[in-house]
Amino acid sequence: MALIKNGTQVSDQWLVAADDTPVQADIPTIVSYKRFLAERDTLVRSRAELGVKLVPGDDVSAIAADLPRLQVVALDFPKFTDGRSYSTARLLRQRYGFQGEIRATGDVLRDQYLFMKRAGFDAFQVKDGAEAQGWIEAMGELSHYYQPAADGTNAVWAERHAIAAAE
Amino acid sequence: MSLKAITANRLIDGIAVWLTPAGRWSESVYDARVAEDADSLTAMEAIAADATKACTVVDALPIDVKLEDGLPVPTKNKERIRALGPTVRLDLGKQADRLGKAA
Amino acid sequence: MYRYDEFDETLVKERVAQFRGQIARRLNGELTEEEFKPLRLMNGLYLQIHAYMLRVAIPYGTFNAKQMRMLAHIGRKYDKDYGHFTTRQNIQFNWIKLEDTADILEDLATVEMHAIQTSGNCIRNTTADPYAGAAVDEFEDPRIWAEVIRQWSSFHPEFSFLPRKFKIAVTGAPNDRAAVRVHDIGLTIKKNAAGETGFEVMIGGGQGRSPFIAKTISEFVPRDNLLSYLEAILRVYNMLGRRDNKYKARIKILVHEVGIEEIRRLVEAEWENLKGETSVDLPAEERDRIAAYFRAPSFETLADTDTGYEARRFEDRDFRHWVRSNVVAHRQPGYAIVNISLKPTGGIPGDISGDQMDAVADIADAYALDSEIRATLQQNLVLPHVKLSDLPAVYDKLAAAGLATGNIGLAGDIIACPGLDYCNLANARAIPIAQQISDRFADLNRQYDIGNLEIKISGCINACGHHHVGHIGILGVDRKGEEHYQLTLGGRADDAAAIGEITGPGFSADGIIDAVDNVVETYLSLRQDPAERFIDTLERVGHTPFKENLYGPKAA
Ligand code: HEM
Ligand code: SF4
């Protein structure tokens, strides 16, 4: 597994902990959503950097209040055709104002990067290989977007009228 | 078990093809290798799986055939149409390219 | 009609380049078929029985002579010199090679055409009233909004991997010619009490295995909030739609299982939130920019009628009949809407040869304002703005191309899906049934006597041939390896949309032709007068007399 962030492969500092692995203060740890809900009070008081991993169907609003305490939210794609995590990512960015890392895990493919980035993902856990290069290529495949989303890029209509106003 | 052949579509152009005794893919069902027992079908499926992995064909699957004048002919409607062409355009498909037996 | 600006042009070209790369990665094995399939589907490419099939979008059914010539060119160069118009304002080519597909899409892009999102579990080509901009009863052109939706839904970062496909239709007229009530979302433009323009929004309609008529989720969404409202619906569907079972994944099942009240509550709550979070709703200047493309063409000021046209109508019975069935009143005096039937007697519904495409393009150039052409939901074509004085010439040229069959809305105007002759999912053939029924009713006088009758045929329960909403619907099934056909009566796709009822036991391939004839004869014997349409007689007398005549008194 490799992690791509900002167009380069980076080393992954995060431990994705099984539900019965204790959280240690000096190890940045991603716990499951279920565990987070069950052990919330202890976890938020621990000194470890924390992340939570949601699978499709988990309700992101249940962790909304704790987002400022989290450095990472991992959203899983059990199959790349399951598009629910795109909605969750947009909710995190646009409704709950989450500023930390949103990481795509699971069946993460190059041809989905651009959708993911626009939905608010900024880290991609991918199979080993020439993935970072693929990421850079995929990001350049489209140069405009018809609709605004969670990545702050302007929609085409905003570009159109910015040009019109400038002329 | 009824007699079986293996059909697929060629990846690059989608054309319907059948696995031959030589392990190649023919555009004519009459060239198809016929499995009479489970063992030879298994062997054919292995060849088809390799060809799928090698990006030669897609959607390979076994079909029922019977022998007519010693040649394999599909028994199901859909597979017959695949082997010949659309019944509503006799000028198109294998039937037009003479890959089907003279109709 | 809408014209691409530099942004649209760039995006469509970039999309072609992207798909070219994906095809190359598929051919060199980097992508598996499982990974590639959703990508090719989102570019309109299916794998069918004989070869690949490419579905090209005709956005909201509007195109022009130049684009039609390009379709002819695609058919000639890359296919077998014909195309098939579908019921969803698309055209399909049946003999496409994967290795040619990027070149084809590149050719299409030169005339502002594409195959983007004509398949896949995403928001599909938005359909609209084929008479848009010409119909007498229209109060706003639905294509403005269909184009707004096209742009918003293209390459949508959140809604490209939905539980299942998603189809939106828009009409701007009270007489629904866009079948909005059998779409995932149906939009009808209306005005509220304050005189503001907005939409009645209906959701959860659809055909397929479990047909449903859409339910109204909102009586009125202001036009400038349309996109945020759609985004709210799509988000609720994306999150809650079933993904465990392909046959239960459409929004119609979600609406059915959860109830329209609960869905409405969820959507309205989502919408409230969304309004503060994103600027998805278009600013007025962008709406106006798009609307400007759909302003009325420059009509001439003409008299209500034309003497040459009237004379020909008086003298020539065939022309008169063609006018009666295929020509529709236009909102502009001196103009008409011309329907071109792609249902010649005994022909393949929706099929058109390369030469015929060129002929239609030539006729559009010569006689249709702005060279405009439309594709309809009935697998036919329309020239939306033709001068009455040009009708005789248009008719003669259509006739020379074999395109002047005067059967629009009649028994010969049959919808049929490709069925087992082309489609991998089919259980039975649909086209030969359509051909035989068409032959059975070949006598146009009999068709005129019967009047409006919509016969629709699907080769499997997916219902691409709309059989659920046919006055007479025919569904092909496989019974122990034999093609077998179920008959339904009473379906309709208009503003009184309804799903047809199965008459009883099905019929053999020969039997179904007789059965249709039998149903028609029952109607003729029961109608109050020739003005009472089949569908009205059926509604008045009920299904029993029809069943009795089909199966005998006991069985009914
Ligand atoms: C030949 C390749 C085609 C394939 C593989 C195909 C596949 C499907 C499938 C699987 C469905 C059912 C979807 C569902 O219920 O969830 C469907 C529905 C539909 N298709 Fe097709 N189709 C094909 C061709 C066509 C054609 C030629 C037309 C137009 C004549 C068409 C128009 C429609 C329409 C109108 C529906 C029903 C509306 C709805 O989605 O509920 N399709 N198609
Ligand atoms: S109704 Fe069935 S047979 Fe006909 S085109 Fe659709 S999927 Fe194919």
Side-chain angles (χ1 to χ4, degrees):
Chain A
M1 278 295 162
L3 189 70
I4 294 173
K5 232 184 144 169
N6 303 320
T8 49
Q9 195 161 327
V10 296
S11 66
D12 187 1
Q13 309 294 327
W14 288 81
L15 171 77
V16 181
D19 282 353
D20 52 6
T21 308
V23 172
Q24 295 179 27
D26 52 348
I27 303 179
T29 305
I30 295 175
V31 299
S32 74
Y33 169 82
K34 228 189 281 152
R35 178 175 183 186
F36 184 78
L37 292 190
E39 302 173 20
R40 181 198 168 272
D41 293 347
T42 345
L43 286 170
V44 296
R45 265 186 268 112
S46 81
R47 296 210 331 275
E49 290 192 281
L50 265 189
V52 175
K53 176 169 170 167
L54 277 66
V55 298
D58 291 345
D59 177 9
V60 66
S61 72
I63 63 162
D66 293 316
L67 287 172
R69 169 70 184 82
L70 302 177
Q71 279 73 41
V72 171
V73 176
L75 302 179
D76 199 51
F77 290 82
K79 283 192 303 216
F80 75 88
T81 47
D82 187 332
R84 284 176 283 183
S85 292
Y86 294 102
S87 290
T88 312
R90 282 193 72 189
L91 286 172
L92 277 167
R93 290 282 186 237
Q94 294 182 283
R95 183 152 309 162
Y96 303 116
F98 181 60
Q99 308 267 339
E101 173 183 309
I102 303 183
R103 169 184 296 210
T105 66
D107 197 5
V108 177
L109 303 174
R110 170 196 154 144
D111 296 293
Q112 278 73 49
Y113 290 166
L114 197 48
F115 294 121
M116 289 177 175
K117 174 194 166 257
R118 301 215 59 229
F121 290 89
D122 58 356
F124 307 84
Q125 200 172 64
V126 297
K127 289 181 217 110
D128 293 319
E131 294 285 356
Q133 187 52 37
W135 193 90
I136 290 167
E137 283 170 24
M139 286 305 123
E141 281 171 347
L142 300 181
S143 56
H144 305 282
Y145 307 107
Y146 274 125
Q147 59 299 96
D151 61 340
T153 48
N154 273 335
V156 158
W157 51 258
E159 296 189 76
R160 278 178 181 137
H161 297 287
I163 292 173
E167 272 169 7
Chain B
M1 157 183 129
S2 74
L3 301 181
K4 303 269 188 197
I6 289 190
T7 187
N9 293 79
R10 212 156 45 205
L11 177 67
I12 194 161
D13 58 8
I15 296 296
V17 288
W18 291 263
L19 180 66
T20 70
R24 312 175 85 89
W25 296 89
S26 166
E27 292 187 25
S28 169
V29 70
Y30 306 117
D31 296 335
R33 173 172 167 189
V34 177
E36 291 172 1
D37 53 51
D39 284 350
S40 58
L41 182 62
T42 309
M44 284 158 63
E45 284 177 324
I47 298 171
D50 285 347
T52 304
K53 222 178 270 156
C55 297
T56 311
V57 297
V58 280
D59 289 1
L61 83 170
I63 57 163
D64 293 337
V65 292
K66 61 184 180 203
L67 293 179
E68 267 177 23
D69 305 329
L71 292 174
V73 183
T75 59
K76 300 236 162 70
N77 285 334
K78 174 164 145 188
E79 293 306 327
R80 271 203 299 270
I81 289 171
R82 221 170 130 78
L84 292 172
T87 65
V88 294
R89 287 293 302 266
L90 299 178
D91 57 327
L92 301 179
K94 321 272 188 200
Q95 56 204 358
D97 301 338
R98 299 181 193 287
L99 293 168
K101 212 169 24 169
Chain C
M1 59 189 272
Y2 188 73
R3 298 304 312 262
Y4 285 6
D5 68 1
E6 63 195 283
F7 294 103
D8 301 298
E9 194 182 317
T10 306
L11 273 169
V12 170
K13 283 192 180 142
E14 286 177 342
R15 170 63 157 214
V16 175
Q18 180 187 51
F19 190 43
R20 191 183 286 284
Q22 289 165 342
I23 293 172
R25 286 194 288 131
R26 173 69 187 107
L27 290 174
N28 73 20
E30 217 176 291
L31 287 172
T32 64
E33 185 62 17
E34 198 195 343
E35 290 166 350
F36 180 62
K37 189 173 173 184
L39 304 177
R40 70 163 156 75
L41 290 177
M42 276 194 268
N43 286 286
L45 194 66
Y46 284 77
L47 186 54
Q48 288 295 357
I49 294 189
H50 311 292
Y52 290 96
M53 180 274 274
L54 182 68
R55 183 183 285 163
V56 176
I58 303 190
Y60 32 92
T62 297
F63 60 137
N64 62 25
K66 190 169 151 197
Q67 293 174 321
M68 182 68 113
R69 281 196 194 92
M70 176 55 76
L71 296 175
H73 160 80
I74 303 289
R76 265 184 211 117
K77 178 158 179 200
Y78 302 103
D79 202 87
K80 295 187 188 277
D81 201 12
Y82 70 108
H84 175 77
F85 279 99
T86 78
T87 55
R88 286 202 22 84
Q89 301 181 320
N90 294 312
I91 182 169
Q92 296 183 172
F93 295 100
N94 288 302
W95 305 88
I96 296 298
K97 297 182 169 76
L98 179 60
E99 57 180 343
D100 287 343
T101 307
D103 292 341
I104 298 173
L105 296 176
E106 211 158 85
D107 285 356
L108 287 168
T110 63
V111 294
E112 307 182 10
M113 296 189 95
H114 63 79
I116 296 164
Q117 291 174 207
T118 55
S119 179
N121 293 334
C122 51
I123 302 167
R124 301 284 189 88
N125 182 26
T126 297
T127 50
D129 185 345
Y131 295 167
V136 174
D137 63 346
E138 175 179 291
F139 47 82
E140 185 163 320
D141 195 320
R143 294 171 302 163
I144 300 166
W145 300 99
E147 174 60 24
V148 166
I149 294 168
R150 177 191 76 79
Q151 298 196 18
W152 161 75
S153 62
S154 293
F155 325 122
H156 198 290
E158 185 177 349
F159 306 132
S160 292
F161 297 92
L162 295 169
R164 200 78 180 81
K165 58 170 122 173
F166 204 91
K167 301 177 179 175
I168 304 177
V170 200
T171 179
N175 296 303
D176 177 10
R177 288 172 291 262
V180 299
R181 285 165 187 80
V182 286
H183 283 76
D184 296 284
I185 294 181
L187 299 171
T188 302
I189 304 173
K190 65 193 267 195
K191 284 209 190 317
N192 68 3
E196 295 153 339
T197 304
F199 298 90
E200 178 177 352
V201 181
M202 290 158 271
I203 67 168
Q207 303 187 51
R209 186 170 298 242
S210 12
F212 285 100
I213 301 300
K215 298 184 176 68
T216 298
I217 183 166
S218 175
E219 289 290 349
F220 189 81
V221 171
R223 64 175 180 177
D224 288 334
N225 295 123
L226 176 67
L227 291 184
S228 54
Y229 199 82
L230 294 183
E231 197 139 311
I233 295 173
L234 265 296
R235 180 170 288 169
V236 167
Y237 169 58
N238 188 41
M239 292 295 242
L240 300 182
R242 287 182 61 171
R243 290 175 187 267
D244 58 329
N245 180 337
K246 182 175 160 173
Y247 299 111
K248 300 199 166 167
R250 296 287 290 270
I251 196 175
K252 62 190 175 186
I253 304 291
L254 181 67
V255 172
H256 179 68
E257 289 182 349
V258 177
I260 185 72
E261 292 76 19
E262 176 64 4
I263 296 292
R264 183 179 298 121
R265 192 186 67 72
L266 291 168
V267 168
E268 298 274 336
E270 191 60 38
W271 189 40
E272 272 314 307
N273 279 318
L274 268 175
K275 279 197 272 190
E277 287 162 17
T278 117
S279 48
V280 63
D281 285 322
L282 293 186
E285 60 264 36
E286 175 66 1
R287 181 200 68 216
D288 293 344
R289 185 192 76 90
I290 293 176
Y293 289 105
F294 297 99
R295 271 201 292 261
S298 7
F299 293 115
E300 290 170 39
T301 308
L302 298 172
D304 268 337
T305 190
D306 174 84
T307 46
Y309 156 70
E310 291 294 349
R312 177 77 182 266
R313 219 162 61 144
F314 187 74
E315 290 155 12
D316 179 347
R317 185 167 154 276
D318 290 345
F319 178 72
R320 186 161 65 240
H321 283 166
W322 175 79
V323 168
R324 193 171 69 174
S325 53
N326 290 27
V327 176
V328 175
H330 197 286
R331 69 160 73 127
Q332 179 73 19
Y335 283 83
I337 302 171
V338 172
N339 285 279
I340 302 173
S341 169
L342 298 182
K343 320 290 175 63
T345 302
I348 299 177
D351 273 16
I352 179 168
S353 72
D355 287 347
Q356 286 178 320
M357 289 187 225
D358 282 339
V360 172
D362 292 345
I363 295 167
D365 267 340
Y367 304 107
L369 257 184
D370 296 346
S371 305
E372 227 180 290
I373 309 170
R374 305 284 173 80
T376 77
L377 281 68
Q378 285 74 33
Q379 303 180 286
N380 293 317
L381 298 172
V382 168
L383 304 175
H385 317 293
V386 177
K387 280 194 252 179
L388 287 177
S389 55
D390 287 333
L391 286 178
V394 168
Y395 172 75
D396 291 337
K397 299 210 156 128
L398 287 172
L403 290 167
T405 315
N407 62 0
I408 295 290
L410 305 177
D413 186 6
I414 301 168
I415 291 178
C417 79
L420 197 55
D421 283 298
Y422 293 98
C423 177
N424 239 333
L425 305 174
N427 286 323
R429 286 174 297 165
I431 296 167
I433 303 299
Q435 291 177 305
Q436 288 170 58
I437 295 173
S438 170
D439 280 331
R440 180 71 67 95
F441 293 93
D443 177 3
L444 269 179
N445 287 321
R446 184 164 174 228
Q447 288 194 42
Y448 294 130
D449 179 35
I450 297 164
N452 176 233
L453 178 60
E454 298 177 8
I455 303 176
K456 307 189 181 194
I457 311 174
S458 306
C460 82
I461 193 60
N462 287 325
C464 304
H466 288 195
H467 68 276
H468 290 303
V469 291
H471 298 169
I472 298 180
I474 298 172
L475 165 64
V477 295
D478 179 303
R479 217 176 59 170
K480 300 193 191 104
E482 292 286 320
E483 291 169 303
H484 207 70
Y485 297 88
Q486 281 178 2
L487 188 63
T488 60
L489 298 180
R492 57 203 287 182
D494 58 6
D495 26 294
I499 306 295
E501 273 177 45
I502 298 179
T503 53
F507 301 86
S508 68
D510 292 333
I512 191 70
I513 315 298
D514 292 333
V516 169
D517 210 340
N518 179 306
V519 166
V520 171
E521 286 304 323
T522 305
Y523 153 66
L524 290 174
S525 69
L526 291 175
R527 70 179 176 188
Q528 277 173 331
D529 58 68
E532 191 181 53
R533 296 177 306 166
F534 172 87
I535 193 75
D536 301 325
T537 302
L538 179 69
E539 205 164 292
R540 180 172 56 80
V541 305
H543 288 240
T544 310
F546 289 89
K547 292 186 194 173
E548 280 180 3
N549 282 352
L550 277 171
Y551 302 108
K554 247 202 301 212

